[in-house]
Amino acid sequence: MELNNIVPLPASFFARPTLEVARDLLGRWLVHEHPSGVCLVGRIVETEAYRQDDPACHGWRLVNPSTGKVLPEGRAYDLFAAPGTAYVYLNYGMYWLLNVVTEPEGVGGAVLIRAVEPIAGLHFIQARRPSARKPYELTGGPGRLTMAFGIDGSYHRRPLTGPPLYFAAGNPVSEAEVATSPRIGLSRGTDRHWRFFVRGNPYVSPAPRQR
DNA sequence: ACGAGGATGCTCT
DNA sequence: GAGCATCCTCGTG
C-alpha cells in the first residue's frame, strides 16, 4: 500500500460535536504503521459516541452539574484532553478499547471505534485473529479491532493526527447507508441511540442480547 | 442458532 | 467488593 498520498485527518476534524464526529468517521480510514513495518488500514464501519453529559461516559462524574466545573482527577479526565488525542483503556481486564477524544479541549467527549473492514495488512490481521471464521470475528468489535491492529495502552494520550496511528479521509458514507442504534454493552444511557454503523456491512459486530 | 459462564484487572464506592 | 464501552468456549436444541 502506497502511503505517500494519505493525509491524516487534522485535530480540527475532532474538535466538533461528538455525535457529528462519530457519524463522520464512518467510511474513514484507520491507519496503523505498526512498529514491525507492516502498514494496517481499516475502513471504519461502526462507532459510538460518549459525551460528558451522558451517564454512560467515564467523564460524567467529573462534571459538577451546577457549576460545570471539571474535576481534574482519574482516568476519565483524559476525555477532556485536546481533540484528536487517543483515549485507550483496558476493559474487563483483558481488552484494549480505542477512542478518539472529541470537542474542544476542556469539554469531555470521545468516539469509540468499534469495527473496521480490512483494507491493507490482511495477512498480519489474520495472524492476530487465528480463531476468526466470519468477517466480523476478524475486526468487528472494539476488542477484536485492537487485537487485530496491534493497538494497546501504550497509545493512550498520544495524538492520533499523524504516524504511527491516525485517521485518513477515506470515502465518507452516504446518509442512506448509515444506521443508528442504542450503544452496546451499557447499563446506563441506553435510551441514547449513539451507535453508528454501515447498514449491512459484514464487519459490523452483531449486537448481543440486552443485559 | 442461541445462551450460560468464565477469564481477568482497573476504577471507583 | 462491585461493576465494567468484551470475547471465547462449550453446552443444548
Side-chain angles (χ1 to χ4, degrees):
Chain A
M1 159 116 345
E2 199 49 65
L3 286 180
N4 296 335
N5 54 356
I6 295 189
V7 178
L9 293 177
S12 59
F13 181 93
F14 304 98
R16 293 185 289 158
T18 306
L19 299 186
E20 193 177 318
V21 176
R23 156 70 184 82
D24 198 2
L25 275 173
L26 294 179
R28 310 294 188 168
W29 287 1
L30 176 67
V31 182
H32 189 197
E33 298 177 16
H34 193 266
S36 67
V38 176
C39 183
L40 304 162
V41 181
R43 176 177 174 256
I44 296 170
V45 296
E46 182 183 353
T47 62
E48 280 177 0
Y50 291 85
R51 294 201 323 211
Q52 68 174 46
D53 63 347
D54 156 24
C57 182
H58 291 165
W60 186 57
R61 275 192 191 78
L62 296 188
V63 183
N64 183 316
S66 47
T67 66
K69 286 258 187 182
V70 180
L71 290 172
E73 292 169 3
R75 164 188 73 178
Y77 186 60
D78 295 333
L79 287 168
F80 298 78
T85 301
Y87 180 87
V88 183
Y89 81 99
L90 188 66
N91 116 122
Y92 290 97
M94 280 168 289
Y95 304 106
W96 295 107
L97 269 55
L98 172 67
N99 295 255
V100 56
V101 172
T102 54
E103 313 271 354
E105 185 165 7
V107 179
V111 173
L112 171 68
I113 311 302
R114 285 196 59 92
V116 302
E117 173 178 345
I119 288 186
L122 188 60
H123 190 79
F124 179 101
I125 290 168
Q126 286 173 327
R128 296 213 161 210
R129 304 285 308 131
S131 66
R133 280 175 285 276
K134 301 173 184 171
Y136 79 84
E137 292 174 334
L138 206 54
T139 52
R144 297 190 186 104
L145 153 61
T146 55
M147 285 188 265
F149 271 59
I151 295 166
D152 62 25
S154 68
Y155 284 93
H156 183 57
R157 290 190 52 77
R158 288 168 63 177
L160 298 177
T161 48
L165 184 61
Y166 57 99
F167 299 90
N171 304 106
V173 171
S174 73
E175 284 298 334
E177 295 175 86
V178 177
T180 64
S181 81
R183 293 166 296 179
I184 290 178
L186 305 182
S187 59
R188 295 179 302 187
T190 53
D191 55 319
R192 307 178 188 215
H193 291 207
W194 289 355
R195 173 175 175 249
F196 300 83
F197 58 98
V198 178
R199 193 189 308 278
N201 186 281
Y203 291 89
V204 171
S205 63
R209 283 195 86 70
Q210 264 195 334
R211 309 189 168 192

mmCIF file with all atom_site columns, all heavy atoms in Angstrom, chain A residues 45-70:
data_model
loop_
_atom_site.group_PDB
_atom_site.id
_atom_site.type_symbol
_atom_site.label_atom_id
_atom_site.label_alt_id
_atom_site.label_comp_id
_atom_site.label_asym_id
_atom_site.label_entity_id
_atom_site.label_seq_id
_atom_site.pdbx_PDB_ins_code
_atom_site.Cartn_x
_atom_site.Cartn_y
_atom_site.Cartn_z
_atom_site.occupancy
_atom_site.B_iso_or_equiv
_atom_site.pdbx_formal_charge
_atom_site.auth_seq_id
_atom_site.auth_comp_id
_atom_site.auth_asym_id
_atom_site.auth_atom_id
_atom_site.pdbx_PDB_model_num
ATOM 1   N N   . VAL A 1 45 ? -16.445 1.137  10.079 1.00 0.00 ? 45 VAL A N   1
ATOM 2   C CA  . VAL A 1 45 ? -17.843 0.805  9.767  1.00 0.00 ? 45 VAL A CA  1
ATOM 3   C C   . VAL A 1 45 ? -18.755 0.849  10.983 1.00 0.00 ? 45 VAL A C   1
ATOM 4   O O   . VAL A 1 45 ? -19.961 0.632  10.852 1.00 0.00 ? 45 VAL A O   1
ATOM 5   C CB  . VAL A 1 45 ? -17.954 -0.573 9.083  1.00 0.00 ? 45 VAL A CB  1
ATOM 6   C CG1 . VAL A 1 45 ? -17.251 -0.563 7.724  1.00 0.00 ? 45 VAL A CG1 1
ATOM 7   C CG2 . VAL A 1 45 ? -17.388 -1.684 9.958  1.00 0.00 ? 45 VAL A CG2 1
ATOM 8   N N   . GLU A 1 46 ? -18.199 1.113  12.165 1.00 0.00 ? 46 GLU A N   1
ATOM 9   C CA  . GLU A 1 46 ? -19.042 1.164  13.369 1.00 0.00 ? 46 GLU A CA  1
ATOM 10  C C   . GLU A 1 46 ? -18.359 2.022  14.431 1.00 0.00 ? 46 GLU A C   1
ATOM 11  O O   . GLU A 1 46 ? -17.173 1.836  14.714 1.00 0.00 ? 46 GLU A O   1
ATOM 12  C CB  . GLU A 1 46 ? -19.273 -0.251 13.908 1.00 0.00 ? 46 GLU A CB  1
ATOM 13  C CG  . GLU A 1 46 ? -20.176 -0.298 15.130 1.00 0.00 ? 46 GLU A CG  1
ATOM 14  C CD  . GLU A 1 46 ? -20.340 -1.713 15.685 1.00 0.00 ? 46 GLU A CD  1
ATOM 15  O OE1 . GLU A 1 46 ? -19.855 -2.669 15.043 1.00 0.00 ? 46 GLU A OE1 1
ATOM 16  O OE2 . GLU A 1 46 ? -20.944 -1.859 16.750 1.00 0.00 ? 46 GLU A OE2 1
ATOM 17  N N   . THR A 1 47 ? -19.136 2.962  15.006 1.00 0.00 ? 47 THR A N   1
ATOM 18  C CA  . THR A 1 47 ? -18.612 3.848  16.054 1.00 0.00 ? 47 THR A CA  1
ATOM 19  C C   . THR A 1 47 ? -19.678 4.040  17.137 1.00 0.00 ? 47 THR A C   1
ATOM 20  O O   . THR A 1 47 ? -20.858 3.739  16.926 1.00 0.00 ? 47 THR A O   1
ATOM 21  C CB  . THR A 1 47 ? -18.247 5.234  15.493 1.00 0.00 ? 47 THR A CB  1
ATOM 22  O OG1 . THR A 1 47 ? -19.430 5.854  14.975 1.00 0.00 ? 47 THR A OG1 1
ATOM 23  C CG2 . THR A 1 47 ? -17.182 5.157  14.415 1.00 0.00 ? 47 THR A CG2 1
ATOM 24  N N   . GLU A 1 48 ? -19.235 4.565  18.279 1.00 0.00 ? 48 GLU A N   1
ATOM 25  C CA  . GLU A 1 48 ? -20.178 5.001  19.310 1.00 0.00 ? 48 GLU A CA  1
ATOM 26  C C   . GLU A 1 48 ? -19.697 6.321  19.895 1.00 0.00 ? 48 GLU A C   1
ATOM 27  O O   . GLU A 1 48 ? -18.492 6.547  20.036 1.00 0.00 ? 48 GLU A O   1
ATOM 28  C CB  . GLU A 1 48 ? -20.298 3.960  20.437 1.00 0.00 ? 48 GLU A CB  1
ATOM 29  C CG  . GLU A 1 48 ? -21.213 2.798  20.103 1.00 0.00 ? 48 GLU A CG  1
ATOM 30  C CD  . GLU A 1 48 ? -21.262 1.749  21.191 1.00 0.00 ? 48 GLU A CD  1
ATOM 31  O OE1 . GLU A 1 48 ? -20.596 1.901  22.221 1.00 0.00 ? 48 GLU A OE1 1
ATOM 32  O OE2 . GLU A 1 48 ? -21.981 0.765  20.989 1.00 0.00 ? 48 GLU A OE2 1
ATOM 33  N N   . ALA A 1 49 ? -20.659 7.176  20.265 1.00 0.00 ? 49 ALA A N   1
ATOM 34  C CA  . ALA A 1 49 ? -20.360 8.484  20.838 1.00 0.00 ? 49 ALA A CA  1
ATOM 35  C C   . ALA A 1 49 ? -20.572 8.473  22.347 1.00 0.00 ? 49 ALA A C   1
ATOM 36  O O   . ALA A 1 49 ? -21.532 7.891  22.843 1.00 0.00 ? 49 ALA A O   1
ATOM 37  C CB  . ALA A 1 49 ? -21.251 9.549  20.194 1.00 0.00 ? 49 ALA A CB  1
ATOM 38  N N   . TYR A 1 50 ? -19.653 9.145  23.059 1.00 0.00 ? 50 TYR A N   1
ATOM 39  C CA  . TYR A 1 50 ? -19.760 9.318  24.513 1.00 0.00 ? 50 TYR A CA  1
ATOM 40  C C   . TYR A 1 50 ? -19.513 10.777 24.846 1.00 0.00 ? 50 TYR A C   1
ATOM 41  O O   . TYR A 1 50 ? -18.515 11.347 24.407 1.00 0.00 ? 50 TYR A O   1
ATOM 42  C CB  . TYR A 1 50 ? -18.755 8.405  25.237 1.00 0.00 ? 50 TYR A CB  1
ATOM 43  C CG  . TYR A 1 50 ? -19.120 6.948  25.108 1.00 0.00 ? 50 TYR A CG  1
ATOM 44  C CD1 . TYR A 1 50 ? -18.722 6.211  23.996 1.00 0.00 ? 50 TYR A CD1 1
ATOM 45  C CD2 . TYR A 1 50 ? -19.922 6.335  26.049 1.00 0.00 ? 50 TYR A CD2 1
ATOM 46  C CE1 . TYR A 1 50 ? -19.095 4.887  23.846 1.00 0.00 ? 50 TYR A CE1 1
ATOM 47  C CE2 . TYR A 1 50 ? -20.308 5.012  25.915 1.00 0.00 ? 50 TYR A CE2 1
ATOM 48  C CZ  . TYR A 1 50 ? -19.885 4.295  24.810 1.00 0.00 ? 50 TYR A CZ  1
ATOM 49  O OH  . TYR A 1 50 ? -20.272 2.994  24.671 1.00 0.00 ? 50 TYR A OH  1
ATOM 50  N N   . ARG A 1 51 ? -20.423 11.371 25.631 1.00 0.00 ? 51 ARG A N   1
ATOM 51  C CA  . ARG A 1 51 ? -20.346 12.792 25.949 1.00 0.00 ? 51 ARG A CA  1
ATOM 52  C C   . ARG A 1 51 ? -20.351 13.006 27.452 1.00 0.00 ? 51 ARG A C   1
ATOM 53  O O   . ARG A 1 51 ? -20.899 12.186 28.188 1.00 0.00 ? 51 ARG A O   1
ATOM 54  C CB  . ARG A 1 51 ? -21.553 13.541 25.364 1.00 0.00 ? 51 ARG A CB  1
ATOM 55  C CG  . ARG A 1 51 ? -21.593 13.569 23.885 1.00 0.00 ? 51 ARG A CG  1
ATOM 56  C CD  . ARG A 1 51 ? -22.464 14.694 23.344 1.00 0.00 ? 51 ARG A CD  1
ATOM 57  N NE  . ARG A 1 51 ? -23.677 14.988 24.101 1.00 0.00 ? 51 ARG A NE  1
ATOM 58  C CZ  . ARG A 1 51 ? -24.794 15.446 23.554 1.00 0.00 ? 51 ARG A CZ  1
ATOM 59  N NH1 . ARG A 1 51 ? -24.857 15.607 22.230 1.00 0.00 ? 51 ARG A NH1 1
ATOM 60  N NH2 . ARG A 1 51 ? -25.836 15.735 24.290 1.00 0.00 ? 51 ARG A NH2 1
ATOM 61  N N   . GLN A 1 52 ? -19.852 14.161 27.861 1.00 0.00 ? 52 GLN A N   1
ATOM 62  C CA  . GLN A 1 52 ? -19.738 14.428 29.301 1.00 0.00 ? 52 GLN A CA  1
ATOM 63  C C   . GLN A 1 52 ? -21.088 14.568 29.989 1.00 0.00 ? 52 GLN A C   1
ATOM 64  O O   . GLN A 1 52 ? -21.186 14.427 31.197 1.00 0.00 ? 52 GLN A O   1
ATOM 65  C CB  . GLN A 1 52 ? -18.891 15.681 29.544 1.00 0.00 ? 52 GLN A CB  1
ATOM 66  C CG  . GLN A 1 52 ? -19.548 16.967 29.072 1.00 0.00 ? 52 GLN A CG  1
ATOM 67  C CD  . GLN A 1 52 ? -18.720 18.187 29.478 1.00 0.00 ? 52 GLN A CD  1
ATOM 68  O OE1 . GLN A 1 52 ? -17.515 18.217 29.321 1.00 0.00 ? 52 GLN A OE1 1
ATOM 69  N NE2 . GLN A 1 52 ? -19.389 19.199 30.015 1.00 0.00 ? 52 GLN A NE2 1
ATOM 70  N N   . ASP A 1 53 ? -22.148 14.831 29.230 1.00 0.00 ? 53 ASP A N   1
ATOM 71  C CA  . ASP A 1 53 ? -23.489 14.954 29.830 1.00 0.00 ? 53 ASP A CA  1
ATOM 72  C C   . ASP A 1 53 ? -24.263 13.637 29.763 1.00 0.00 ? 53 ASP A C   1
ATOM 73  O O   . ASP A 1 53 ? -25.485 13.623 29.818 1.00 0.00 ? 53 ASP A O   1
ATOM 74  C CB  . ASP A 1 53 ? -24.272 16.052 29.101 1.00 0.00 ? 53 ASP A CB  1
ATOM 75  C CG  . ASP A 1 53 ? -24.509 15.713 27.632 1.00 0.00 ? 53 ASP A CG  1
ATOM 76  O OD1 . ASP A 1 53 ? -23.862 14.770 27.124 1.00 0.00 ? 53 ASP A OD1 1
ATOM 77  O OD2 . ASP A 1 53 ? -25.339 16.374 26.999 1.00 0.00 ? 53 ASP A OD2 1
ATOM 78  N N   . ASP A 1 54 ? -23.523 12.536 29.674 1.00 0.00 ? 54 ASP A N   1
ATOM 79  C CA  . ASP A 1 54 ? -24.079 11.233 29.345 1.00 0.00 ? 54 ASP A CA  1
ATOM 80  C C   . ASP A 1 54 ? -23.675 10.254 30.452 1.00 0.00 ? 54 ASP A C   1
ATOM 81  O O   . ASP A 1 54 ? -22.493 10.071 30.715 1.00 0.00 ? 54 ASP A O   1
ATOM 82  C CB  . ASP A 1 54 ? -23.483 10.860 27.975 1.00 0.00 ? 54 ASP A CB  1
ATOM 83  C CG  . ASP A 1 54 ? -23.432 9.377  27.678 1.00 0.00 ? 54 ASP A CG  1
ATOM 84  O OD1 . ASP A 1 54 ? -24.222 8.626  28.261 1.00 0.00 ? 54 ASP A OD1 1
ATOM 85  O OD2 . ASP A 1 54 ? -22.601 9.005  26.842 1.00 0.00 ? 54 ASP A OD2 1
ATOM 86  N N   . PRO A 1 55 ? -24.644 9.649  31.145 1.00 0.00 ? 55 PRO A N   1
ATOM 87  C CA  . PRO A 1 55 ? -24.303 8.802  32.297 1.00 0.00 ? 55 PRO A CA  1
ATOM 88  C C   . PRO A 1 55 ? -23.430 7.594  31.941 1.00 0.00 ? 55 PRO A C   1
ATOM 89  O O   . PRO A 1 55 ? -22.818 7.005  32.829 1.00 0.00 ? 55 PRO A O   1
ATOM 90  C CB  . PRO A 1 55 ? -25.668 8.349  32.837 1.00 0.00 ? 55 PRO A CB  1
ATOM 91  C CG  . PRO A 1 55 ? -26.637 8.603  31.732 1.00 0.00 ? 55 PRO A CG  1
ATOM 92  C CD  . PRO A 1 55 ? -26.090 9.749  30.942 1.00 0.00 ? 55 PRO A CD  1
ATOM 93  N N   . ALA A 1 56 ? -23.370 7.226  30.662 1.00 0.00 ? 56 ALA A N   1
ATOM 94  C CA  . ALA A 1 56 ? -22.527 6.095  30.268 1.00 0.00 ? 56 ALA A CA  1
ATOM 95  C C   . ALA A 1 56 ? -21.076 6.516  30.038 1.00 0.00 ? 56 ALA A C   1
ATOM 96  O O   . ALA A 1 56 ? -20.201 5.664  29.874 1.00 0.00 ? 56 ALA A O   1
ATOM 97  C CB  . ALA A 1 56 ? -23.074 5.459  28.987 1.00 0.00 ? 56 ALA A CB  1
ATOM 98  N N   . CYS A 1 57 ? -20.823 7.808  30.024 1.00 0.00 ? 57 CYS A N   1
ATOM 99  C CA  . CYS A 1 57 ? -19.477 8.314  29.732 1.00 0.00 ? 57 CYS A CA  1
ATOM 100 C C   . CYS A 1 57 ? -18.612 8.289  30.983 1.00 0.00 ? 57 CYS A C   1
ATOM 101 O O   . CYS A 1 57 ? -19.079 8.666  32.065 1.00 0.00 ? 57 CYS A O   1
ATOM 102 C CB  . CYS A 1 57 ? -19.590 9.736  29.185 1.00 0.00 ? 57 CYS A CB  1
ATOM 103 S SG  . CYS A 1 57 ? -18.018 10.482 28.734 1.00 0.00 ? 57 CYS A SG  1
ATOM 104 N N   . HIS A 1 58 ? -17.384 7.854  30.851 1.00 0.00 ? 58 HIS A N   1
ATOM 105 C CA  . HIS A 1 58 ? -16.477 7.831  32.005 1.00 0.00 ? 58 HIS A CA  1
ATOM 106 C C   . HIS A 1 58 ? -16.350 9.214  32.646 1.00 0.00 ? 58 HIS A C   1
ATOM 107 O O   . HIS A 1 58 ? -16.157 9.318  33.849 1.00 0.00 ? 58 HIS A O   1
ATOM 108 C CB  . HIS A 1 58 ? -15.085 7.354  31.583 1.00 0.00 ? 58 HIS A CB  1
ATOM 109 C CG  . HIS A 1 58 ? -15.042 5.911  31.189 1.00 0.00 ? 58 HIS A CG  1
ATOM 110 N ND1 . HIS A 1 58 ? -13.990 5.359  30.495 1.00 0.00 ? 58 HIS A ND1 1
ATOM 111 C CD2 . HIS A 1 58 ? -15.928 4.901  31.384 1.00 0.00 ? 58 HIS A CD2 1
ATOM 112 C CE1 . HIS A 1 58 ? -14.223 4.075  30.291 1.00 0.00 ? 58 HIS A CE1 1
ATOM 113 N NE2 . HIS A 1 58 ? -15.391 3.780  30.806 1.00 0.00 ? 58 HIS A NE2 1
ATOM 114 N N   . GLY A 1 59 ? -16.442 10.256 31.839 1.00 0.00 ? 59 GLY A N   1
ATOM 115 C CA  . GLY A 1 59 ? -16.217 11.601 32.342 1.00 0.00 ? 59 GLY A CA  1
ATOM 116 C C   . GLY A 1 59 ? -17.426 12.236 33.007 1.00 0.00 ? 59 GLY A C   1
ATOM 117 O O   . GLY A 1 59 ? -17.343 13.355 33.519 1.00 0.00 ? 59 GLY A O   1
ATOM 118 N N   . TRP A 1 60 ? -18.506 11.517 33.051 1.00 0.00 ? 60 TRP A N   1
ATOM 119 C CA  . TRP A 1 60 ? -19.764 12.079 33.540 1.00 0.00 ? 60 TRP A CA  1
ATOM 120 C C   . TRP A 1 60 ? -19.654 12.585 34.974 1.00 0.00 ? 60 TRP A C   1
ATOM 121 O O   . TRP A 1 60 ? -20.110 13.675 35.307 1.00 0.00 ? 60 TRP A O   1
ATOM 122 C CB  . TRP A 1 60 ? -20.858 11.010 33.442 1.00 0.00 ? 60 TRP A CB  1
ATOM 123 C CG  . TRP A 1 60 ? -22.213 11.477 33.777 1.00 0.00 ? 60 TRP A CG  1
ATOM 124 C CD1 . TRP A 1 60 ? -22.898 12.509 33.200 1.00 0.00 ? 60 TRP A CD1 1
ATOM 125 C CD2 . TRP A 1 60 ? -23.084 10.928 34.774 1.00 0.00 ? 60 TRP A CD2 1
ATOM 126 N NE1 . TRP A 1 60 ? -24.150 12.620 33.763 1.00 0.00 ? 60 TRP A NE1 1
ATOM 127 C CE2 . TRP A 1 60 ? -24.290 11.661 34.736 1.00 0.00 ? 60 TRP A CE2 1
ATOM 128 C CE3 . TRP A 1 60 ? -22.981 9.876  35.682 1.00 0.00 ? 60 TRP A CE3 1
ATOM 129 C CZ2 . TRP A 1 60 ? -25.362 11.392 35.576 1.00 0.00 ? 60 TRP A CZ2 1
ATOM 130 C CZ3 . TRP A 1 60 ? -24.044 9.608  36.512 1.00 0.00 ? 60 TRP A CZ3 1
ATOM 131 C CH2 . TRP A 1 60 ? -25.218 10.364 36.462 1.00 0.00 ? 60 TRP A CH2 1
ATOM 132 N N   . ARG A 1 61 ? -19.019 11.774 35.834 1.00 0.00 ? 61 ARG A N   1
ATOM 133 C CA  . ARG A 1 61 ? -18.929 12.117 37.255 1.00 0.00 ? 61 ARG A CA  1
ATOM 134 C C   . ARG A 1 61 ? -18.013 13.313 37.525 1.00 0.00 ? 61 ARG A C   1
ATOM 135 O O   . ARG A 1 61 ? -18.072 13.900 38.583 1.00 0.00 ? 61 ARG A O   1
ATOM 136 C CB  . ARG A 1 61 ? -18.377 10.939 38.051 1.00 0.00 ? 61 ARG A CB  1
ATOM 137 C CG  . ARG A 1 61 ? -19.433 9.953  38.453 1.00 0.00 ? 61 ARG A CG  1
ATOM 138 C CD  . ARG A 1 61 ? -18.859 8.992  39.489 1.00 0.00 ? 61 ARG A CD  1
ATOM 139 N NE  . ARG A 1 61 ? -19.753 7.879  39.727 1.00 0.00 ? 61 ARG A NE  1
ATOM 140 C CZ  . ARG A 1 61 ? -19.870 6.860  38.916 1.00 0.00 ? 61 ARG A CZ  1
ATOM 141 N NH1 . ARG A 1 61 ? -19.139 6.805  37.830 1.00 0.00 ? 61 ARG A NH1 1
ATOM 142 N NH2 . ARG A 1 61 ? -20.711 5.872  39.179 1.00 0.00 ? 61 ARG A NH2 1
ATOM 143 N N   . LEU A 1 62 ? -17.135 13.606 36.593 1.00 0.00 ? 62 LEU A N   1
ATOM 144 C CA  . LEU A 1 62 ? -16.154 14.662 36.830 1.00 0.00 ? 62 LEU A CA  1
ATOM 145 C C   . LEU A 1 62 ? -16.758 16.051 36.706 1.00 0.00 ? 62 LEU A C   1
ATOM 146 O O   . LEU A 1 62 ? -16.163 17.034 37.164 1.00 0.00 ? 62 LEU A O   1
ATOM 147 C CB  . LEU A 1 62 ? -14.982 14.526 35.845 1.00 0.00 ? 62 LEU A CB  1
ATOM 148 C CG  . LEU A 1 62 ? -14.137 13.260 35.969 1.00 0.00 ? 62 LEU A CG  1
ATOM 149 C CD1 . LEU A 1 62 ? -12.920 13.356 35.064 1.00 0.00 ? 62 LEU A CD1 1
ATOM 150 C CD2 . LEU A 1 62 ? -13.711 13.015 37.405 1.00 0.00 ? 62 LEU A CD2 1
ATOM 151 N N   . VAL A 1 63 ? -17.927 16.148 36.083 1.00 0.00 ? 63 VAL A N   1
ATOM 152 C CA  . VAL A 1 63 ? -18.521 17.456 35.837 1.00 0.00 ? 63 VAL A CA  1
ATOM 153 C C   . VAL A 1 63 ? -19.534 17.778 36.928 1.00 0.00 ? 63 VAL A C   1
ATOM 154 O O   . VAL A 1 63 ? -20.484 17.034 37.145 1.00 0.00 ? 63 VAL A O   1
ATOM 155 C CB  . VAL A 1 63 ? -19.213 17.501 34.457 1.00 0.00 ? 63 VAL A CB  1
ATOM 156 C CG1 . VAL A 1 63 ? -19.769 18.882 34.187 1.00 0.00 ? 63 VAL A CG1 1
ATOM 157 C CG2 . VAL A 1 63 ? -18.238 17.090 33.365 1.00 0.00 ? 63 VAL A CG2 1
ATOM 158 N N   . ASN A 1 64 ? -19.328 18.880 37.605 1.00 0.00 ? 64 ASN A N   1
ATOM 159 C CA  . ASN A 1 64 ? -20.291 19.363 38.593 1.00 0.00 ? 64 ASN A CA  1
ATOM 160 C C   . ASN A 1 64 ? -21.500 19.916 37.846 1.00 0.00 ? 64 ASN A C   1
ATOM 161 O O   . ASN A 1 64 ? -21.372 20.878 37.086 1.00 0.00 ? 64 ASN A O   1
ATOM 162 C CB  . ASN A 1 64 ? -19.647 20.446 39.464 1.00 0.00 ? 64 ASN A CB  1
ATOM 163 C CG  . ASN A 1 64 ? -20.577 20.934 40.560 1.00 0.00 ? 64 ASN A CG  1
ATOM 164 O OD1 . ASN A 1 64 ? -21.759 21.169 40.318 1.00 0.00 ? 64 ASN A OD1 1
ATOM 165 N ND2 . ASN A 1 64 ? -20.038 21.089 41.754 1.00 0.00 ? 64 ASN A ND2 1
ATOM 166 N N   . PRO A 1 65 ? -22.689 19.324 38.036 1.00 0.00 ? 65 PRO A N   1
ATOM 167 C CA  . PRO A 1 65 ? -23.846 19.724 37.231 1.00 0.00 ? 65 PRO A CA  1
ATOM 168 C C   . PRO A 1 65 ? -24.277 21.168 37.441 1.00 0.00 ? 65 PRO A C   1
ATOM 169 O O   . PRO A 1 65 ? -24.832 21.783 36.526 1.00 0.00 ? 65 PRO A O   1
ATOM 170 C CB  . PRO A 1 65 ? -24.941 18.743 37.674 1.00 0.00 ? 65 PRO A CB  1
ATOM 171 C CG  . PRO A 1 65 ? -24.481 18.197 38.984 1.00 0.00 ? 65 PRO A CG  1
ATOM 172 C CD  . PRO A 1 65 ? -22.993 18.242 38.971 1.00 0.00 ? 65 PRO A CD  1
ATOM 173 N N   . SER A 1 66 ? -24.011 21.723 38.610 1.00 0.00 ? 66 SER A N   1
ATOM 174 C CA  . SER A 1 66 ? -24.473 23.103 38.842 1.00 0.00 ? 66 SER A CA  1
ATOM 175 C C   . SER A 1 66 ? -23.448 24.140 38.395 1.00 0.00 ? 66 SER A C   1
ATOM 176 O O   . SER A 1 66 ? -23.820 25.182 37.853 1.00 0.00 ? 66 SER A O   1
ATOM 177 C CB  . SER A 1 66 ? -24.827 23.297 40.317 1.00 0.00 ? 66 SER A CB  1
ATOM 178 O OG  . SER A 1 66 ? -23.820 22.776 41.161 1.00 0.00 ? 66 SER A OG  1
ATOM 179 N N   . THR A 1 67 ? -22.169 23.851 38.591 1.00 0.00 ? 67 THR A N   1
ATOM 180 C CA  . THR A 1 67 ? -21.144 24.841 38.232 1.00 0.00 ? 67 THR A CA  1
ATOM 181 C C   . THR A 1 67 ? -20.528 24.579 36.855 1.00 0.00 ? 67 THR A C   1
ATOM 182 O O   . THR A 1 67 ? -19.968 25.489 36.245 1.00 0.00 ? 67 THR A O   1
ATOM 183 C CB  . THR A 1 67 ? -20.004 24.834 39.261 1.00 0.00 ? 67 THR A CB  1
ATOM 184 O OG1 . THR A 1 67 ? -19.323 23.578 39.193 1.00 0.00 ? 67 THR A OG1 1
ATOM 185 C CG2 . THR A 1 67 ? -20.528 25.035 40.663 1.00 0.00 ? 67 THR A CG2 1
ATOM 186 N N   . GLY A 1 68 ? -20.612 23.326 36.373 1.00 0.00 ? 68 GLY A N   1
ATOM 187 C CA  . GLY A 1 68 ? -19.962 22.993 35.109 1.00 0.00 ? 68 GLY A CA  1
ATOM 188 C C   . GLY A 1 68 ? -18.474 22.770 35.244 1.00 0.00 ? 68 GLY A C   1
ATOM 189 O O   . GLY A 1 68 ? -17.795 22.452 34.261 1.00 0.00 ? 68 GLY A O   1
ATOM 190 N N   . LYS A 1 69 ? -17.963 22.899 36.454 1.00 0.00 ? 69 LYS A N   1
ATOM 191 C CA  . LYS A 1 69 ? -16.526 22.701 36.688 1.00 0.00 ? 69 LYS A CA  1
ATOM 192 C C   . LYS A 1 69 ? -16.155 21.224 36.542 1.00 0.00 ? 69 LYS A C   1
ATOM 193 O O   . LYS A 1 69 ? -16.934 20.341 36.906 1.00 0.00 ? 69 LYS A O   1
ATOM 194 C CB  . LYS A 1 69 ? -16.156 23.181 38.092 1.00 0.00 ? 69 LYS A CB  1
ATOM 195 C CG  . LYS A 1 69 ? -16.140 24.701 38.214 1.00 0.00 ? 69 LYS A CG  1
ATOM 196 C CD  . LYS A 1 69 ? -14.711 25.213 38.169 1.00 0.00 ? 69 LYS A CD  1
ATOM 197 C CE  . LYS A 1 69 ? -14.638 26.709 38.467 1.00 0.00 ? 69 LYS A CE  1
ATOM 198 N NZ  . LYS A 1 69 ? -13.284 27.228 38.379 1.00 0.00 ? 69 LYS A NZ  1
ATOM 199 N N   . VAL A 1 70 ? -14.944 20.983 36.031 1.00 0.00 ? 70 VAL A N   1
ATOM 200 C CA  . VAL A 1 70 ? -14.467 19.621 35.798 1.00 0.00 ? 70 VAL A CA  1
ATOM 201 C C   . VAL A 1 70 ? -13.373 19.274 36.801 1.00 0.00 ? 70 VAL A C   1
ATOM 202 O O   . VAL A 1 70 ? -12.412 20.035 36.965 1.00 0.00 ? 70 VAL A O   1
ATOM 203 C CB  . VAL A 1 70 ? -13.914 19.473 34.366 1.00 0.00 ? 70 VAL A CB  1
ATOM 204 C CG1 . VAL A 1 70 ? -13.420 18.054 34.141 1.00 0.00 ? 70 VAL A CG1 1
ATOM 205 C CG2 . VAL A 1 70 ? -14.971 19.856 33.351 1.00 0.00 ? 70 VAL A CG2 1
#
